[in-house]
């Protein structure tokens, strides 16, 4: 049995004040969740958000992590720096990092290996653009992202994969339950081929892309979807409704 995992991605939003307020509001709302819960927040907010989430079931994650131990990498954050604050997760290879900051599968791979070596769970994002989906190359694109991004990973069950179709991120356009299930089943099959079928059964695979309180129940009902990576809906208490997807009757 795979334990569902719902994570937020605050991107470049919130301040120490507004973030603390939101976490205080969320804490009682998510305390009985039947899934793992995390909020990945901007690096500068990590210390304050770790403090705000203390004693709750909300884990704090980072939005990226560098592969080097230390050194001349202006603007980057190391695993050791994250570990110092008890950070448990790091998003790696988000499409916005790939699109706007030139991150590649090779970089995703180095970041993923470094996170694993430091006991940080990488949330590795994969997904196709609209052009790629319409061109019929979704599976080819995702296969390469998985093969290159996860090369050399010893225990793939320690990796979380987020399937995020680029055309669904921040657009309000969600993949249908069928589209998300189909592609995530393909991801699981590919993990089985690249690693081992038994490991593939254990890997947590999230869906991400305009997931919200209304559509989460249908997505989470799909057999291969184990959770969500939530952008805009994680900036409000709606996040708690997603976390409680199995208890909200109005969804
Ligand atoms: C994301 O940034 O990972 C994401 C899924 O964003 P949104 O939910 O806003 O589409």
């Amino acid at each position: 049995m795979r334990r569902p995992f719902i994570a937020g991605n605050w991107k470049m939003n919130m301040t120490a004040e507004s973030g603390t307020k939101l976490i205080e509001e969320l804490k009682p709302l998510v305390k009985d969740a039947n899934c793992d819960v995390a909020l990945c927040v901007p690096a500068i907010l990590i210390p304050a958000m770790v403090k705000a989430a203390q004693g709750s079931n909300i884990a704090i994650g980072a939005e990226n992590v560098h592969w080097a131990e230390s050194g001349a990498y202006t603007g980057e954050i190391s695993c050791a720096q994250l570990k110092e604050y008890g950070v448990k997760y790091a998003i790696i290879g988000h499409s916005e990092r790939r699109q706007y900051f030139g991150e590649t599968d090779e970089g995703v791979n180095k970041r993923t290996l470094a996170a694993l070596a430091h006991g940080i769970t990488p949330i590795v994002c994969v997904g196709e653009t609209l052009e790629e989906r319409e061109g019929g190359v979704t599976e080819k694109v995702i296969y390469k992202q998985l093969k290159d991004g996860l090369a050399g990973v010893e225990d793939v069950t320690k990796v979380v994969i987020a399937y995020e179709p680029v055309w669904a991120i921040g657009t309000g356009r969600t993949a249908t339950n069928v589209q998300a299930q189909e592609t995530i089943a393909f991801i699981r099959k590919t993990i089985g081929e690249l690693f081992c079928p038994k490991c593939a059964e254990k890997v947590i695979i999230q869906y991400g892309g305009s997931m919200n309180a209304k559509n989460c129940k249908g997505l989470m009902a799909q057999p291969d979807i184990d959770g969500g990576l939530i952008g805009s809906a994680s900036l409000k208490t709606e996040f708690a409704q997603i976390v409680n997807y199995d208890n909200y009757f109005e969804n």
Side-chain angles (χ1 to χ4, degrees), residues 129-181:
T129 62
L130 185 58
E131 207 184 357
E132 288 162 346
R133 177 158 282 265
E134 287 175 347
V137 293
T138 296
E139 294 191 352
K140 191 172 161 218
V141 166
I142 291 176
Y143 182 86
K144 185 182 180 308
Q145 289 172 338
L146 292 171
K147 185 166 180 285
D148 295 353
L150 301 180
V153 167
E154 271 177 28
D155 183 357
V156 75
T157 66
K158 295 216 161 84
V159 175
V160 171
I161 296 169
Y163 167 55
E164 300 210 301
V166 180
W167 47 272
I169 298 177
T171 58
R173 187 178 163 185
T174 324
T176 63
N177 297 339
V178 172
Q179 280 172 326
Q181 164 57 29

Side-chain angles (χ1 to χ4, degrees), residues 109-126:
N109 185 236
K110 287 183 181 171
R111 291 174 199 272
T112 300
L113 294 175
L116 288 169
H118 284 84
I120 293 171
T121 301
I123 303 175
V124 176
C125 302
V126 297

Side-chain angles (χ1 to χ4, degrees), residues 30-178:
V30 304
K31 70 176 177 22
D32 298 320
N34 296 317
C35 62
D36 289 335
V37 183
L39 286 170
C40 298
V41 306
I44 196 167
L45 301 186
I46 286 172
M49 296 312 108
V50 166
K51 195 166 164 223
Q54 227 163 31
S56 78
N57 59 334
I58 304 173
I60 298 300
E63 296 178 12
N64 204 355
V65 66
H66 197 263
W67 55 82
E69 290 299 313
S70 63
Y73 298 99
T74 303
E76 294 284 333
I77 310 275
S78 73
C79 294
Q81 289 168 331
L82 295 180
K83 288 288 281 189
E84 196 174 11
Y85 288 95
V87 165
K88 286 184 70 175
Y89 301 96
I91 297 173
I92 295 176
H94 190 280
S95 68
E96 287 150 17
R97 300 296 318 172
R98 295 177 190 259
Q99 203 178 337
Y100 306 134
F101 303 98
E103 290 196 11
T104 60
D105 290 330
E106 190 195 357
V108 167
N109 185 236
K110 287 183 181 171
R111 291 174 199 272
T112 300
L113 294 175
L116 288 169
H118 284 84
I120 293 171
T121 301
I123 303 175
V124 176
C125 302
V126 297
E128 80 287 1
T129 62
L130 185 58
E131 207 184 357
E132 288 162 346
R133 177 158 282 265
E134 287 175 347
V137 293
T138 296
E139 294 191 352
K140 191 172 161 218
V141 166
I142 291 176
Y143 182 86
K144 185 182 180 308
Q145 289 172 338
L146 292 171
K147 185 166 180 285
D148 295 353
L150 301 180
V153 167
E154 271 177 28
D155 183 357
V156 75
T157 66
K158 295 216 161 84
V159 175
V160 171
I161 296 169
Y163 167 55
E164 300 210 301
V166 180
W167 47 272
I169 298 177
T171 58
R173 187 178 163 185
T174 324
T176 63
N177 297 339
V178 172

Side-chain angles (χ1 to χ4, degrees), residues 9 11 94 96 164 168-171 208-211 229-233:
N9 172 16
K11 312 193 186 192
H94 190 280
E96 287 150 17
E164 300 210 301
I169 298 177
T171 58
S210 301
M211 191 162 165
L229 184 55
I230 320 296
S232 49

